[in-house]
Amino acid sequence: MTSGPYEVLLNTLGPASHRESTLPELDGKPDPWESSMQATCECLSWRGALDNLERRHAEDELGETIYQDFPVRTRSVVVTAHALMDLGVISPEELHARMEAVRERFHRQ
């Protein structure tokens, strides 16, 4: 597996996570975070920050290589974060800090 700036993403894969292998596992209504993430990607594309077609190509390529062990429904978010780091929009350190802040909020509830 790759390391370096993408380690912050690779470390999000929990030990209980598994890649879906059957249609029932792959089928289902998107969670609210997925719809929000897709809307964010549409806005980023509309503003010229992250082209949707390029992101989808990256999702196909990286989803079958670096992020192949991630569940299919989570790949779009890790590939989007990967692309934003490549573009210099967010650094691995900033992403890590934001992820920790979100985890903290969830643990307070």
Side-chain angles (χ1 to χ4, degrees):
M1 219 176 238
T2 262
S3 62
Y6 309 111
E7 200 66 33
V8 66
L9 296 172
L10 295 169
N11 288 336
T12 62
L13 184 64
S17 296
H18 74 283
R19 183 177 180 166
E20 301 88 341
S21 58
T22 66
L23 188 56
E25 288 179 309
L26 293 168
D27 197 18
K29 183 179 177 188
D31 290 330
W33 70 265
E34 292 175 275
S35 298
S36 295
M37 199 270 318
Q38 290 300 323
T40 299
C41 287
E42 290 296 326
C43 291
L44 289 168
S45 182
W46 177 63
R47 288 296 197 178
L50 181 62
D51 182 75
N52 265 336
L53 186 57
E54 289 176 20
R55 180 183 57 82
R56 289 185 178 129
H57 286 299
E59 191 174 326
D60 290 343
E61 180 184 331
L62 297 173
E64 292 302 322
T65 56
I66 295 173
Y67 303 115
Q68 67 183 353
D69 294 331
F70 280 73
V72 171
R73 295 177 72 190
T74 63
R75 288 186 197 161
S76 57
V77 74
V78 292
V79 169
T80 298
H82 184 115
L84 292 172
M85 284 192 294
D86 281 351
L87 293 169
V89 174
I90 191 166
S91 72
E93 295 78 22
E94 290 171 311
L95 181 59
H96 178 74
R98 290 179 189 210
M99 289 166 59
E100 287 303 314
V102 169
R103 285 184 182 114
E104 235 179 75
R105 263 186 285 176
F106 278 113
H107 286 104
R108 281 187 280 184
Q109 295 177 358

